[in-house]
Amino acid sequence: MAAYHLEIYTRPTCSDCQDLKNFLEEHQIPHKQYDLAKQPEKEKELKKITGNRIVPGIVFSQSSMLGLRKKAKSMTGFEQNKEEIKKLLEVS
């Protein structure tokens, strides 16, 4: 497993979000999930990180040797980023 901390921003009406959640469950990948329908305040955070409100918002961050978070890598959408996500998570 890669040394990434994974956070995802989703909406219940988004099919790409559901596909992402199923993928993460299937591969038993730990992640923190923010449902923007239940946590609307997280939408500002998503926009700050990714530059838009499009879901799913996917944020990978790594801890440094001091335990501090390094700059996050973010992407929007699951299907078009699936191969890169697999590489980052070292999933086949």
Side-chain angles (χ1 to χ4, degrees):
M1 182 64 62
Y4 281 101
H5 175 76
L6 177 61
E7 295 175 294
I8 63 171
Y9 296 78
T10 65
R11 294 185 206 285
T13 55
C14 163
S15 62
D16 203 27
C17 297
Q18 304 315 313
D19 291 345
L20 171 61
K21 291 192 283 187
N22 290 336
F23 172 83
L24 296 174
E25 281 181 35
E26 180 182 322
H27 294 284
Q28 299 178 344
I29 297 167
H31 61 281
K32 179 130 182 143
Q33 177 184 326
Y34 304 111
D35 181 336
L36 298 182
K38 294 178 182 170
Q39 298 171 281
E41 70 282 359
K42 289 290 184 181
E43 196 164 313
K44 284 181 185 174
E45 193 175 289
L46 173 65
K47 192 171 181 183
K48 183 179 176 185
I49 295 167
T50 66
N52 60 57
R53 298 171 46 226
I54 300 168
V55 291
I58 305 160
V59 181
F60 292 91
S61 57
Q62 285 182 298
S63 295
S64 69
M65 295 199 1
L66 301 174
L68 302 170
R69 288 270 162 83
K70 289 185 180 176
K71 186 173 187 299
K73 175 177 182 57
S74 65
M75 53 188 77
T76 303
F78 174 58
E79 279 306 317
Q80 71 266 30
N81 293 301
K82 191 172 185 175
E83 292 309 311
E84 186 175 357
I85 291 168
K86 285 180 174 182
K87 284 180 194 170
L88 288 169
L89 296 172
E90 298 174 1
V91 172
S92 55

